[in-house]
Amino acid sequence: MNTKQSDNLLKNKMNRRQMLKLTGAGTAGVLIGATGFGSVANSFGYSIVDDNMTATEKVPFYGSHQSGIVTNVQKHIYFASLNVIVTSKEELKDLFEMWTPLAVRMMNGEEIAEPTTNSYVAAQDTGEAVGLSASNLTITFGVGPTLFEKSKLGLGHLKPTELEALPHFPKDQLDESYSSGDLCIQACADDPQVAFHAVRNLIRSASGKVILKWTQAGFNSIPVEKNKKQTPRNLFAFKDGTGNPNVNDTKEMNDVVWVQSNESVPWMTGGTYLVARRIQMHLETWDRTALGEQEATFGRHRDSGAPIGKTGEFEDMELARKDSSGNPIIPTTSHVHLAKLVDDRILRRSFSYSSGMDPKTGVFDAGLLFISFQKHPKQFINIQNSLGRIDKLNEYITHRGSATFACFPGIQKGSFVGESLFKA
Amino acid sequence: MNTKQSDNLLKNKMNRRQMLKLTGAGTAGVLIGATGFGSVANSFGYSIVDDNMTATEKVPFYGSHQSGIVTNVQKHIYFASLNVIVTSKEELKDLFEMWTPLAVRMMNGEEIAEPTTNSYVAAQDTGEAVGLSASNLTITFGVGPTLFEKSKLGLGHLKPTELEALPHFPKDQLDESYSSGDLCIQACADDPQVAFHAVRNLIRSASGKVILKWTQAGFNSIPVEKNKKQTPRNLFAFKDGTGNPNVNDTKEMNDVVWVQSNESVPWMTGGTYLVARRIQMHLETWDRTALGEQEATFGRHRDSGAPIGKTGEFEDMELARKDSSGNPIIPTTSHVHLAKLVDDRILRRSFSYSSGMDPKTGVFDAGLLFISFQKHPKQFINIQNSLGRIDKLNEYITHRGSATFACFPGIQKGSFVGESLFKA
């Protein structure tokens, strides 16, 4: 190839990318915006379509809080738990400083660096997202309890006391290969390759500094009815997220999700705690179960998502309702009844997964990558303890993985991910 | 719950579904149709947007050939390989007869049966696709060589001689847990839950008749540029499918894909052979490789997809081109050069996968669910043998799974999947 050819190629590349920025990336958003999607009502906690679904399909990186928490739930997730192999706090800080602009660029729909023009070096960006839009990518960073136990890092005194591996719950059958981790990267996007690309490039750029602990891909399929997005269904066909607090209600988010000053260690103010549970769903058993029994298990109707005996998904549960024989209409052993027994609330942001076949049993390895955000892990723990041994849903699910992470507060321009921890 | 409440619930259900049919399902297609997506040019073999992307997002089930072969490639696949445990040809025929209307309904975006109104029985449809559109679902059925070796089924004399497990290729490291199978169901859709739902419900309805052998989910992320869909990139960031024959060219499809009378056993006329290979891509090794070396490995430029030294993705390879020193511009050990050395052509219809972490090595378990269609497996075999030991790509990939299936001809109304085999 001669120089002229190279130049032509380069020009072609740049034109292609520029063109993309000007036209391709925004197309779907414009379409959607033009047909009424922009103005629909709120549902299942997350506002169904808000400014995230603009012409650019971009979620802002900077703000009071990290993205990917109150952001409208996307169609895909690639979740990675990492262990760190750096041996000093300075190196760890450098890692997060290095990651910050990469995350910004990827959330903008850009490659992590300008394209290579030198064919003798490896491209900085792995390239598989070239031509795809930002796809509402969000990247959320957190740190796990084990990070603070690595004495060389000298972070032990900054560990929030509430940041611990979750206690053992009845029926837990945890597999260490889907549990714990020093760090997490939650990449969510409306495109699976964009989410995977984000995690891959962050990990690649951190070569020699982190190793994979576990990863899980997942999806949410969001029904659309009369141009309004609806609560997605999990693989048991029940709507998941109906009872969520409203992410657009600042007070509610401050009450449930965002750590307020004096509520945790200072560096967590504006942050939140992430709980991840890999929950296998025994589809074959579930599918043999009568519809009425399934509904008694959840405490809701399958199709409408309404509390049993009601018709609207968002109607009040009214747990005290009794039938003519004096029995509770919503069984006391149902999932929602038990979850409502405690006052604690959490923000659920889960994804389904289907990961081939369980080689031990020959059935689908499928279920829920349960993710929740709360200002204190005890909110999740209290709910899970209330479900305890008596939750009827226990017959149909097995918790296989568990992890908890402290997600940093939001990042301001000029700052970097985790600055509050490293400057504490 | 009293009768009136039940009635209200039921009415609510039906309204919901009817509404869906009238409005929700078609929305995205209408949007797309209205903005020029309907009239764009052909690319990478598959026509980019054709009548499949109509207001209903439905692919026809009936026709001369099965769907999911020359159908525009969708965003998601759920591929299942099954073994049969029925013990007679009649039972197997009954299975395919039972599956046929279920496949028709699901490709129409309907549940496999009308919703249950009796809460004392299990719902016939597992329900997780309720509210989602047909999502261009296609369901493709095939039979593997091992089916014909089950003497109780009495099908041995109908086995096409070319339907065999693929021969061992250099560098193969096959894992039986991702190989072979008596039957395959390939479900492709623009929504992952719709694809999974299709396989789940077919298998559930065949309880006691089939068992899972292996399954794999995958995805294709299709860039859009100036309102035109582009060839998707694999996880090595190279465009995959550029060299495909044109699915809209009947003659080409008859030459490459569809079995003609006298070319195989009679029951395969109008059918095709499917090759599936689960190819792990060693992303970490690839990502350390210089861009020029990556391009020399494929024989194409990464960004444009053009043959090395050219600028247009669809330009002729012109393998004979030499540089000023007399060396071939496209290396003779490159993937495309070796693949072009033989005259055989195949229709590639692959999907990327990212299935967590490889527990043995701690790296991403990610790669390509390679799928190709051809009228005779030797077309694939000849190409793969040409790649042989010298394909530069071998350094970066490992074939972990392998299967081959004979896909029946298309189904006419009143007939059923596989009728030509069972009536032979």
Side-chain angles (χ1 to χ4, degrees):
Chain A
M1 182 168 32
N2 59 36
T3 315
K4 184 136 178 284
Q5 281 174 322
S6 297
D7 284 345
N8 280 340
L9 277 176
L10 180 60
K11 207 191 302 171
N12 189 261
K13 276 185 199 177
M14 298 311 290
N15 284 342
R16 198 178 157 286
R17 285 207 168 75
Q18 286 161 348
M19 214 159 55
L20 181 75
K21 281 182 196 160
L22 293 172
T23 61
T27 309
V30 169
L31 288 179
I32 288 167
T35 51
F37 275 68
S39 58
V40 296
N42 184 50
S43 175
F44 73 104
Y46 292 94
S47 94
I48 294 315
V49 176
D50 69 3
D51 56 310
N52 295 339
M53 288 186 79
T54 61
T56 54
E57 295 177 345
K58 273 162 51 173
V59 180
F61 175 81
Y62 295 106
S64 312
H65 309 293
Q66 284 196 78
S67 68
I69 300 166
V70 298
T71 309
N72 286 341
V73 72
Q74 298 99 325
K75 292 182 186 166
H76 294 276
I77 188 172
Y78 196 84
F79 191 94
S81 168
L82 313 175
N83 280 339
V84 304
I85 49 179
V86 297
T87 52
S88 75
K89 182 178 165 182
E90 193 63 23
E91 281 179 284
L92 189 62
K93 172 176 159 284
D94 290 349
L95 174 64
F96 280 107
E97 281 199 88
M98 181 269 287
W99 270 346
T100 302
L102 274 49
V104 171
R105 289 185 67 110
M106 289 192 286
M107 283 177 57
N108 276 334
E110 298 164 0
E111 296 180 68
I112 60 168
E114 290 305 308
T116 298
T117 56
N118 177 353
S119 68
Y120 294 100
V121 300
Q124 285 187 265
D125 189 288
T126 59
E128 74 271 28
V130 166
L132 302 174
S133 83
S135 306
N136 290 311
L137 174 68
T138 56
I139 305 174
T140 317
F141 297 91
V143 286
T146 50
L147 185 77
F148 296 89
E149 291 154 14
K150 299 196 157 167
S151 56
K152 284 180 183 170
L153 300 179
L155 293 168
H157 63 294
L158 295 170
K159 180 170 180 288
T161 52
E162 61 270 36
L163 182 65
E164 289 288 354
L166 295 171
H168 177 83
F169 298 107
K171 304 273 189 173
D172 272 5
Q173 293 187 38
L174 299 185
D175 182 340
E176 184 54 28
S177 55
Y178 283 106
S179 296
S180 71
D182 293 342
L183 304 179
C184 76
I185 303 174
Q186 175 197 258
C188 302
D190 287 327
D191 183 283
Q193 194 142 314
V194 167
F196 180 74
H197 169 265
V199 170
R200 175 184 181 183
N201 280 271
L202 291 171
I203 290 175
R204 178 183 178 225
S205 68
S207 175
K209 301 185 180 76
V210 298
I211 54 172
L212 283 180
K213 177 73 170 71
W214 59 276
T215 75
Q216 182 64 54
F219 55 89
N220 262 314
S221 295
I222 304 173
V224 177
E225 197 173 291
K226 283 194 171 172
N227 284 0
K228 290 186 190 176
K229 289 190 175 185
Q230 306 295 313
T231 312
R233 294 178 188 276
N234 62 28
L235 294 181
F236 283 165
F238 279 70
K239 298 186 177 190
D240 199 316
T242 301
N244 260 347
N246 180 352
V247 297
N248 294 316
D249 183 327
T250 306
K251 183 180 176 305
E252 211 167 357
M253 288 301 100
N254 287 339
D255 286 348
V256 176
V257 174
W258 305 124
V259 174
Q260 308 296 303
S261 55
N262 301 317
E263 285 184 334
S264 179
V265 291
W267 66 264
M268 273 296 286
T269 301
T272 184
Y273 291 90
L274 181 158
V275 165
R277 307 278 289 183
R278 189 183 198 264
I279 304 174
Q280 187 177 5
M281 295 163 104
H282 305 299
L283 301 184
E284 290 80 359
T285 314
W286 181 255
D287 289 347
R288 284 192 295 267
T289 303
L291 180 62
E293 182 66 15
Q294 289 184 346
E295 297 188 332
T297 298
F298 272 102
R300 291 186 179 273
H301 292 297
R302 185 178 91 164
D303 246 32
S304 63
I308 290 180
K310 299 199 170 192
T311 53
E313 176 184 352
F314 298 101
E315 286 192 66
D316 196 295
M317 298 295 302
E318 293 187 304
L319 290 177
R321 283 178 297 144
K322 295 204 167 38
D323 65 18
S324 51
S325 321
N327 298 315
I329 288 177
I330 298 188
T332 54
T333 55
S334 67
H335 192 69
V336 292
H337 188 111
L338 292 167
K340 288 264 177 193
L341 279 188
V342 293
D343 288 334
D344 298 280
R345 301 187 73 194
I346 57 177
L347 180 66
R348 303 173 63 153
R349 204 171 189 282
S350 302
F351 293 77
S352 294
Y353 74 85
S354 66
S355 297
M357 194 180 83
D358 182 334
K360 286 196 278 284
T361 56
V363 302
F364 292 115
D365 182 7
L368 192 73
L369 178 61
F370 171 95
I371 291 175
S372 70
F373 295 96
Q374 46 275 312
K375 61 164 62 174
H376 195 299
K378 75 180 175 195
Q379 294 161 257
F380 171 82
I381 295 168
N382 290 346
I383 292 171
Q384 194 62 22
N385 275 331
S386 179
L387 299 173
R389 289 192 180 281
I390 55 176
D391 179 10
K392 281 173 77 75
L393 197 55
N394 284 340
E395 293 176 43
Y396 306 102
I397 61 174
T398 303
H399 287 238
R400 300 280 187 200
S402 178
T404 180
F405 299 96
C407 294
F408 304 117
I411 298 98
Q412 309 305 319
K413 275 190 190 175
S415 177
F416 62 94
V417 174
E419 185 182 35
S420 64
L421 171 63
F422 294 104
K423 296 209 168 159
Chain B
M1 182 169 31
N2 60 35
T3 315
K4 184 136 178 287
Q5 281 172 319
S6 298
D7 285 346
N8 280 339
L9 277 176
L10 180 61
K11 206 192 302 171
N12 190 261
K13 276 185 200 177
M14 297 312 290
N15 285 342
R16 202 180 152 284
R17 286 207 169 73
Q18 286 160 348
M19 212 159 56
L20 179 75
K21 281 182 197 162
L22 293 173
T23 60
T27 310
V30 168
L31 288 179
I32 287 168
T35 52
F37 275 68
S39 58
V40 295
N42 184 49
S43 175
F44 73 104
Y46 293 95
S47 94
I48 293 315
V49 176
D50 69 3
D51 57 310
N52 295 339
M53 287 187 80
T54 61
T56 53
E57 296 177 344
K58 272 162 51 175
V59 180
F61 174 81
Y62 295 106
S64 312
H65 309 293
Q66 284 196 77
S67 68
I69 300 166
V70 297
T71 309
N72 286 340
V73 72
Q74 298 99 326
K75 293 181 185 167
H76 295 276
I77 188 171
Y78 196 84
F79 191 94
S81 168
L82 314 175
N83 280 339
V84 304
I85 50 178
V86 297
T87 51
S88 75
K89 182 178 167 184
E90 193 62 24
E91 280 180 285
L92 189 62
K93 172 176 159 284
D94 289 349
L95 174 64
F96 281 106
E97 282 200 88
M98 182 269 288
W99 271 345
T100 302
L102 274 49
V104 171
R105 290 185 66 110
M106 289 193 285
M107 283 178 56
N108 277 333
E110 297 164 0
E111 297 180 66
I112 60 168
E114 289 305 307
T116 298
T117 55
N118 177 353
S119 67
Y120 294 100
V121 300
Q124 285 187 264
D125 189 287
T126 59
E128 75 271 28
V130 166
L132 302 175
S133 83
S135 305
N136 290 311
L137 174 68
T138 57
I139 305 174
T140 317
F141 297 91
V143 287
T146 50
L147 185 77
F148 296 89
E149 292 154 15
K150 298 196 158 169
S151 55
K152 284 180 183 170
L153 299 179
L155 293 168
H157 64 294
L158 294 170
K159 181 171 179 288
T161 52
E162 60 270 37
L163 182 65
E164 289 288 354
L166 295 171
H168 177 83
F169 298 108
K171 304 273 189 174
D172 271 5
Q173 291 186 38
L174 300 185
D175 182 341
E176 184 53 28
S177 55
Y178 284 107
S179 296
S180 71
D182 293 342
L183 303 180
C184 76
I185 303 173
Q186 175 196 257
C188 302
D190 287 326
D191 183 283
Q193 194 142 313
V194 168
F196 180 74
H197 169 265
V199 171
R200 175 186 183 183
N201 279 271
L202 291 172
I203 290 176
R204 177 184 179 226
S205 68
S207 175
K209 302 186 180 76
V210 297
I211 54 172
L212 283 180
K213 177 73 169 70
W214 59 276
T215 76
Q216 182 64 53
F219 55 89
N220 262 315
S221 295
I222 303 173
V224 176
E225 196 174 294
K226 284 193 172 176
N227 284 359
K228 289 187 191 175
K229 289 191 174 182
Q230 306 295 314
T231 313
R233 293 178 189 277
N234 62 29
L235 294 180
F236 282 166
F238 278 70
K239 298 186 177 191
D240 199 316
T242 301
N244 259 346
N246 181 352
V247 297
N248 294 315
D249 183 326
T250 306
K251 182 179 177 307
E252 212 167 358
M253 289 301 100
N254 286 340
D255 287 347
V256 176
V257 174
W258 305 125
V259 173
Q260 307 296 303
S261 56
N262 301 318
E263 286 184 334
S264 180
V265 291
W267 66 264
M268 273 297 286
T269 300
T272 185
Y273 291 90
L274 180 158
V275 165
R277 308 277 290 182
R278 189 183 198 263
I279 304 173
Q280 187 177 5
M281 294 164 104
H282 304 299
L283 302 184
E284 291 80 359
T285 313
W286 182 256
D287 290 347
R288 284 192 294 267
T289 303
L291 180 61
E293 182 66 15
Q294 289 184 346
E295 296 188 332
T297 297
F298 272 102
R300 290 185 180 274
H301 292 297
R302 184 178 91 164
D303 247 32
S304 63
I308 291 181
K310 299 199 171 193
T311 53
E313 177 184 352
F314 298 103
E315 286 191 66
D316 196 295
M317 297 296 300
E318 292 187 306
L319 291 177
R321 283 179 296 143
K322 296 206 166 35
D323 65 17
S324 51
S325 319
N327 297 316
I329 288 177
I330 298 187
T332 53
T333 54
S334 67
H335 192 69
V336 291
H337 188 110
L338 292 167
K340 288 264 178 192
L341 278 189
V342 293
D343 288 334
D344 297 281
R345 301 187 73 193
I346 57 178
L347 180 65
R348 303 173 61 152
R349 204 171 187 281
S350 303
F351 292 78
S352 295
Y353 75 86
S354 66
S355 297
M357 195 180 82
D358 182 333
K360 287 196 278 283
T361 55
V363 301
F364 292 115
D365 182 7
L368 191 73
L369 178 61
F370 171 96
I371 290 175
S372 69
F373 295 97
Q374 46 275 310
K375 61 164 63 175
H376 194 299
K378 75 180 175 195
Q379 293 162 258
F380 172 81
I381 294 168
N382 289 346
I383 292 170
Q384 193 62 22
N385 276 330
S386 179
L387 299 174
R389 290 193 179 280
I390 54 175
D391 179 9
K392 282 173 77 75
L393 197 55
N394 283 340
E395 294 176 42
Y396 307 102
I397 62 174
T398 303
H399 287 239
R400 301 281 187 201
S402 178
T404 180
F405 299 96
C407 295
F408 305 117
I411 297 98
Q412 308 306 319
K413 275 190 189 175
S415 178
F416 62 93
V417 174
E419 185 182 35
S420 64
L421 171 63
F422 294 104
K423 297 208 169 160

